[in-house]
Amino acid sequence: MKYAEMTAVELKNISREETLVVLPIAAVEQHGPHMPTATDTIICTAVAEQVEQNLKESVLLLPTLWLGASQHHLRWGATLTSRVENYETLLCEICESLLDDGFRRVLILNGHGGNIGPMQISLRRLQVHYRNCQLMTASYWSIAEQEIASLMEGECKTVGHACEAETSLVLHLRPELVRESKIENFIDYAPDMIDGVYLCNDMYQRTQKGATGRPDLASAEKGEQMFSAIVKRVTEVIATLSKNALSE
Amino acid sequence: MKYAEMTAVELKNISREETLVVLPIAAVEQHGPHMPTATDTIICTAVAEQVEQNLKESVLLLPTLWLGASQHHLRWGATLTSRVENYETLLCEICESLLDDGFRRVLILNGHGGNIGPMQISLRRLQVHYRNCQLMTASYWSIAEQEIASLMEGECKTVGHACEAETSLVLHLRPELVRESKIENFIDYAPDMIDGVYLCNDMYQRTQKGATGRPDLASAEKGEQMFSAIVKRVTEVIATLSKNALSE
Amino acid sequence: MKYAEMTAVELKNISREETLVVLPIAAVEQHGPHMPTATDTIICTAVAEQVEQNLKESVLLLPTLWLGASQHHLRWGATLTSRVENYETLLCEICESLLDDGFRRVLILNGHGGNIGPMQISLRRLQVHYRNCQLMTASYWSIAEQEIASLMEGECKTVGHACEAETSLVLHLRPELVRESKIENFIDYAPDMIDGVYLCNDMYQRTQKGATGRPDLASAEKGEQMFSAIVKRVTEVIATLSKNALSE
Amino acid sequence: MKYAEMTAVELKNISREETLVVLPIAAVEQHGPHMPTATDTIICTAVAEQVEQNLKESVLLLPTLWLGASQHHLRWGATLTSRVENYETLLCEICESLLDDGFRRVLILNGHGGNIGPMQISLRRLQVHYRNCQLMTASYWSIAEQEIASLMEGECKTVGHACEAETSLVLHLRPELVRESKIENFIDYAPDMIDGVYLCNDMYQRTQKGATGRPDLASAEKGEQMFSAIVKRVTEVIATLSKNALSE
Amino acid sequence: MKYAEMTAVELKNISREETLVVLPIAAVEQHGPHMPTATDTIICTAVAEQVEQNLKESVLLLPTLWLGASQHHLRWGATLTSRVENYETLLCEICESLLDDGFRRVLILNGHGGNIGPMQISLRRLQVHYRNCQLMTASYWSIAEQEIASLMEGECKTVGHACEAETSLVLHLRPELVRESKIENFIDYAPDMIDGVYLCNDMYQRTQKGATGRPDLASAEKGEQMFSAIVKRVTEVIATLSKNALSE
Amino acid sequence: MKYAEMTAVELKNISREETLVVLPIAAVEQHGPHMPTATDTIICTAVAEQVEQNLKESVLLLPTLWLGASQHHLRWGATLTSRVENYETLLCEICESLLDDGFRRVLILNGHGGNIGPMQISLRRLQVHYRNCQLMTASYWSIAEQEIASLMEGECKTVGHACEAETSLVLHLRPELVRESKIENFIDYAPDMIDGVYLCNDMYQRTQKGATGRPDLASAEKGEQMFSAIVKRVTEVIATLSKNALSE
């Protein structure tokens, strides 16, 4: 079910207990020299829409919030962002609209690394007020971690920024938006976690050109396989979430 | 030019002085018994995208912010909203991302009546910090007021909520989303301005079923004519905005 | 009834259902070379007090909040202001004091153009919490639009800033405060709305000397006529507001 | 000099270094069974205006902010208030309007006990940003402490709430607003400071009828003497403040 | 009883009506050339812990909040602080944790002058929501004012900053932390209250070296006597607080 | 070096480039039936102080902020907390005090799981303003992950809440505070991450008695070994942090 396409009367009639509302969130931010700023939004939306197709009865899909918490990209320009604390508030308020309307299962499905912290915190801010609801977040790559890793050829097996995975996925989903001539090996970037310490540097400090990983190993075929694997796994996991018992 | 489809390098290279950045904003909220919640988003996005097609050289189009300031619809359910004061902040922050990246002409192009107040205030909040920039807002119907009025057959000649105009436009743009069997004459609704006094009632108080006006007079043909007329007029007006002199 | 002059016991005894509480708001801000900074406060207070005289039984008048949302005048100096978002909060809190004390009809009566947006938004912020109350705003000129227009001789028929109307009104109410030798024709100012687009410029950008319109056409006689007409019309309109049915 | 009565040009021409700007703040709140809600505003305004008459060359007087921090009176009704933290912000913003316009000496002159904490904090919030300005607050009774005490006949020698002092002062300034038949001996109220411990109780807990002290000992004559003594002392003290050296 | 050393089960079992919860607050901020930054924290903690030893049955002691409202020391460096308005919020939230857990008597016991305003305001912010609780604040020196004064040899009889009293107390409590060779007579500092007017200057403006008073008259013996006297008096006063009747 | 024990002059003289400032943060919150509320604070402080002993020249240690982000424990009572968004602000402000004083390397060393999100976000809020500083966070267990895991005998190899690790560590550090008779096997608790999905439940939902893991396998000996291993590893890692190059 697609929230945006339904009427108020139809939305009123669906089960608050059994329906899982999915809010996809992503970003519009610089993605290196070869990828469009909407990269995260394109991927996350495609995953979410396909999952909804697979679970039409139990999933209620919201439109993708393309705005992300992207302050750490600002120095590269080409980045739209909210302050991170206000992004938390924004997510809280969208969820409150749903929870106050009676829905009891909400999943924020994320496609941008910078959103992980604020999205988890937004649910913590809400949880003390909505204790009988199941509030959840996940990034598509945290659900499909193994599926993605098994398809990555480069040394990095997780989804980075404008990397082998993201580039492959967009080559599959929107090939005309990838500037293939600009692709390089961007594996030489600084991690933000060393020896268990989080180093809070921005992407201007951590990368040479605003991208990470091995987009030079990307391909549309790999993207297609990866997309299928992600959708399959996210579908499986989400299917169980709307069947879990709710707290009273 | 579409911001979301461009790379950071491409965005860096376009003129900050001459380019007009357009941020479409709308809503996902109850729209009576016959219209989808995304009505405002569908219309505003279609207008904005067509205008961008007409003015590819001078307009930089952002994706539509589908979230609106819709607290006054909450009692009907099926409404996603931000608190009105936080909506101002949200708009400020998206604009700041652009202004701090050097852009000097920003237009918020609106498709939801409830956004008018907060969008104007958000610019007032910004203006004291960005005095050499041209900050602008408009609703598509404020620009194309006469064009719309001349096509309305019902007694109300302006765009209401799920009314003759909106219903016609969605019948043209996404006909499968209009539940035609649910259409009624909704002209019997309470105005929010009487004798120069603004009465702050919500839509639960002002309408019988969450809709206003004469959708029973709507048609896809009228929608097509209206859409063309709106796009034409908005194109004309926006074309001049990117040629106006900027303050120093 | 004047709130400020009554005791708590007296205030406790008046009807919460039938009484209309009026909060006048205005500004203390630069008003061009010829008008005192309190221009808006002087006019709005005089109107409000005269209306209260006419409707002693049904109207409960608060003192005028002289502080306005005047950030757009700051570059001219001589301006006291609150940030526009905090001004909303301020109005909310004054109204909350009344609403939590049981009053159910509140009208913000405005005398400063810059307050229109924030005063309407403040009521929208409140309305979701006080749904059985009638929250209203109006500017004296929106109520008495026709009466004012019919007395204006200059090309502009609406109330501007330090214009023909305001100058006439202060010439009538506080003639010693008008510096007549400094009066000029200020009709050459930039509008903030062109072709349906709101241009968010400040008064430093929009005017030559911080004033608009035709104060050179002002006179005390015109002020007297205008004041009478405004008071008469505002009295009529307000008289009906305290008789309208309240929502439950 | 009265800010509200001057033009922007006149205000621009007065000395930023030598002028002391005075912002009177007070309250509109319940004042027991015999006193009007505007008691504090009436007294503080009268003092401030008389002082300005005495020091026309060096003092620039603002209009009185009648809104106070009066949450502790809410349970008695008949009280207008801002939340205490927002009241701090409000005072900050009025002062910022002045300081950003170049004024370097600002005195908040207070007439309501509940404002003391927030007014001092508001200056502390400002001071880190305006270190070369002299930011000051005082209540009229802290300046004229001895003068007031020497005229009090009751056991309490300081200004309380609707007490001997306030009642006398309003009997002098606005005798028609005192309901003399309602006056009682209200000396039996609970202090908020015992053995060096501040007990944060509201006025509903601390008083029987919302008033303190000995208004039964009040008289217009005492009010006249007290008013003269206060004005004389405040004039003396303020006269020196605009001559003190400013930090660089 | 020490909150930090107890288990949740034990804390659940103690009386909410009879127990007085004590939250010590202090500062870590510059304390002149001879005293450690934790001076206020050392003293306040020692007093609080000794009082708890004396009143084990009725007092529940929290750990000391070492962070204070110390913006006025920032220009001397070596100062940790919260913005004053956020410090209020911080105190509110710690108290809310207690009040929502059912405790009805809370005393903030303070050891830093800069905290007095915000701690009182934080309770005013809370009081409107917790009207049946007894919310209290005190500085150790406001309770033991006379005891301290009687032991001071210098001209100033009250506790200042790094002064005779504080230096003596730390010489008694943590002698190794006092740099005795750096001690001077710092009596030549500017007061913040003159003629009833509060002058909001920071410590960089008010002192030569960030200290006040007569630490040159300090001694460990005086510190020991003073500490005993303070503990004795604070014990006496607090003992009565947990026996006072609570409002309903 | 211990910040709290130093004078302002001493603090001024240490190198801003080379010194690593360490802010330990923890919690005072319910820790099941057998552990004191200060468990996290006791452990984190002990680790931090021992590390400072090992690195006296390069580390500047602040006192431990015992307040944590513990809203998810509130339903168990015995929990002091700040709202999570305000906790971010609190950490920002303590860090700002240091950064504005010139320090360029700050590490927040954490001992409470609930702080991880807000502490990382607080640095992201700061980083856009202090781009030439190295802002870092770590939990002691993220640095010493392997050392801890190798000593855990239960099925869970990571630090939980009042678990085998925490209980062992407090048995070593403050044995008198562990109620050994209340220890149980608490391994039957609900995880907050399943299949890559974060489930935002509070500890009342996730545990039977507010504790997790295998405290029944804890011992003082294990605690001693673990403490030594943690301190050794944290010392090693921190030693390198103050030698890394700083961005300009």
Side-chain angles (χ1 to χ4, degrees), chain B:
Chain B
M1 297 174 284
K2 291 190 166 178
Y3 192 102
E5 300 186 355
M6 296 171 75
T7 67
V9 178
E10 292 160 2
L11 281 163
K12 176 161 274 168
N13 288 334
I14 64 180
S15 166
R16 265 57 184 158
E17 313 282 304
E18 292 165 24
T19 305
L20 178 73
V21 191
V22 174
L23 167 64
I25 66 173
V28 173
E29 64 181 19
Q30 77 80 20
H31 257 76
H34 64 297
M35 297 289 280
T37 58
T39 294
D40 293 348
T41 298
I42 291 165
I43 299 169
C44 189
T45 302
V47 170
E49 292 190 344
Q50 198 57 52
V51 169
E52 187 272 336
Q53 286 299 306
N54 295 346
L55 297 168
K56 272 177 183 299
E57 300 299 308
S58 54
V59 162
L60 177 63
L61 181 65
L62 265 58
T64 302
L65 183 71
W66 53 259
L67 187 72
S70 302
Q71 284 178 286
H72 52 306
H73 289 278
L74 280 174
R75 284 207 278 179
W76 284 110
T79 296
L80 304 175
T81 186
S82 171
R83 281 177 186 74
V84 70
E85 63 272 31
N86 293 336
Y87 193 68
E88 294 170 18
T89 302
L90 175 59
L91 296 182
C92 283
E93 294 196 332
I94 298 175
C95 290
E96 284 174 316
S97 300
L98 295 163
L99 297 167
D100 290 342
D101 199 14
F103 291 102
R104 292 185 58 194
R105 299 175 193 268
V106 176
L107 170 70
I108 299 178
L109 182 64
N110 177 50
H112 167 52
N115 293 343
I116 297 174
M119 78 182 177
Q120 291 185 353
I121 293 214
S122 69
L123 294 198
R124 290 175 64 187
R125 288 168 58 172
L126 286 173
Q127 198 271 342
V128 289
H129 303 292
Y130 298 93
R131 282 166 169 155
N132 70 345
C133 297
Q134 185 57 66
L135 309 176
M136 300 169 283
T137 69
S139 302
Y140 69 81
W141 60 77
S142 65
I143 295 179
E145 189 178 10
Q146 296 182 344
E147 289 75 8
I148 293 168
S150 71
L151 289 163
M152 301 280 273
E153 292 172 278
E155 45 275 67
C156 175
K157 301 298 183 196
T158 57
V159 177
H161 188 71
C163 70
E164 179 187 353
E166 289 192 347
T167 305
S168 296
L169 287 162
V170 179
L171 279 170
H172 166 58
L173 295 166
R174 296 287 305 274
E176 77 283 10
L177 297 181
V178 181
R179 280 64 165 172
E180 297 196 53
S181 68
K182 308 285 188 184
I183 291 178
E184 297 178 40
N185 176 339
F186 295 119
I187 199 65
D188 184 27
Y189 67 97
D192 62 357
M193 188 71 78
I194 297 180
D195 292 337
V197 178
Y198 169 71
L199 303 164
C200 191
N201 291 320
D202 67 20
M203 292 302 274
Y204 200 77
Q205 292 165 320
R206 295 179 55 203
T207 69
Q208 301 297 320
K209 297 196 178 169
T212 73
R214 297 295 306 274
D216 54 314
L217 300 177
S219 71
E221 297 68 34
K222 193 183 293 180
E224 185 173 14
Q225 289 176 292
M226 201 177 279
F227 185 70
S228 295
I230 292 167
V231 168
K232 182 162 176 291
R233 179 64 183 149
V234 175
T235 300
E236 282 170 11
V237 169
I238 283 186
T240 69
L241 295 178
S242 58
K243 296 194 186 112
N244 290 337
L246 287 164
S247 301
E248 284 309 321

Side-chain angles (χ1 to χ4, degrees), chain C residues 116-131:
Chain C
I116 296 173
M119 79 182 175
Q120 291 186 352
I121 293 215
S122 70
L123 295 198
R124 290 174 64 186
R125 288 168 57 173
L126 286 173
Q127 198 271 342
V128 290
H129 303 293
Y130 297 94
R131 281 164 171 159

Side-chain angles (χ1 to χ4, degrees), chain A residues 69-209:
Chain A
S70 303
Q71 284 178 287
H72 51 306
H73 289 278
L74 280 173
R75 283 207 278 180
W76 283 110
T79 295
L80 304 175
T81 187
S82 171
R83 280 177 187 74
V84 69
E85 62 272 30
N86 293 336
Y87 194 68
E88 294 170 20
T89 302
L90 175 59
L91 296 182
C92 283
E93 295 196 331
I94 297 175
C95 291
E96 284 174 316
S97 300
L98 296 162
L99 297 166
D100 290 343
D101 199 13
F103 291 101
R104 291 184 58 195
R105 299 175 194 269
V106 176
L107 170 69
I108 299 178
L109 182 63
N110 177 49
H112 167 52
N115 293 344
I116 297 173
M119 78 182 176
Q120 291 186 352
I121 294 216
S122 70
L123 294 198
R124 291 174 64 186
R125 289 168 57 173
L126 287 173
Q127 198 271 342
V128 291
H129 303 292
Y130 298 93
R131 281 164 170 159
N132 70 346
C133 298
Q134 185 57 68
L135 309 177
M136 299 170 283
T137 69
S139 301
Y140 69 82
W141 60 78
S142 65
I143 296 179
E145 190 179 7
Q146 295 181 346
E147 289 74 8
I148 292 167
S150 72
L151 288 164
M152 302 280 272
E153 292 173 278
E155 45 275 67
C156 174
K157 300 299 183 194
T158 57
V159 177
H161 188 71
C163 71
E164 179 187 353
E166 289 193 347
T167 305
S168 296
L169 287 162
V170 179
L171 279 171
H172 167 57
L173 296 165
R174 297 287 303 275
E176 78 282 10
L177 297 182
V178 181
R179 280 64 164 173
E180 297 195 55
S181 67
K182 306 285 188 184
I183 291 178
E184 298 179 39
N185 176 340
F186 294 119
I187 200 64
D188 184 27
Y189 67 97
D192 61 357
M193 189 70 78
I194 297 181
D195 292 335
V197 178
Y198 169 70
L199 304 165
C200 191
N201 290 320
D202 66 21
M203 292 302 274
Y204 200 77
Q205 292 165 320
R206 294 179 56 203
T207 68
Q208 301 296 319
K209 295 194 179 171

Side-chain angles (χ1 to χ4, degrees), chain A residues 69-72 74-75 83-85 88 107 112-121 123-125 127-129 131-139 142-144 193-202 205 233 237 240-241 244 247-248, chain F residues 69-72 74-75 83-85 88 107 112-121 123-125 127-129 131-139 142-144 193-202 205 233 237 240-241 244 247-248:
Chain A
S70 303
Q71 284 178 287
H72 51 306
L74 280 173
R75 283 207 278 180
R83 280 177 187 74
V84 69
E85 62 272 30
E88 294 170 20
L107 170 69
H112 167 52
N115 293 344
I116 297 173
M119 78 182 176
Q120 291 186 352
I121 294 216
L123 294 198
R124 291 174 64 186
R125 289 168 57 173
Q127 198 271 342
V128 291
H129 303 292
R131 281 164 170 159
N132 70 346
C133 298
Q134 185 57 68
L135 309 177
M136 299 170 283
T137 69
S139 301
S142 65
I143 296 179
M193 189 70 78
I194 297 181
D195 292 335
V197 178
Y198 169 70
L199 304 165
C200 191
N201 290 320
D202 66 21
Q205 292 165 320
R233 180 62 183 150
V237 169
T240 70
L241 295 178
N244 291 337
S247 303
E248 285 309 318
Chain F
S70 303
Q71 284 178 287
H72 52 305
L74 281 173
R75 283 206 279 179
R83 279 178 187 75
V84 69
E85 62 272 30
E88 293 170 20
L107 171 69
H112 167 51
N115 293 345
I116 297 174
M119 78 182 176
Q120 291 185 353
I121 293 213
L123 295 199
R124 289 174 64 187
R125 289 169 57 173
Q127 197 271 342
V128 290
H129 303 293
R131 282 166 169 156
N132 70 345
C133 297
Q134 185 56 67
L135 309 176
M136 299 170 284
T137 69
S139 301
S142 65
I143 296 179
M193 188 71 77
I194 297 180
D195 292 336
V197 177
Y198 169 70
L199 304 165
C200 191
N201 292 320
D202 67 19
Q205 292 164 319
R233 180 63 183 149
V237 169
T240 69
L241 296 178
N244 290 338
S247 302
E248 286 308 320

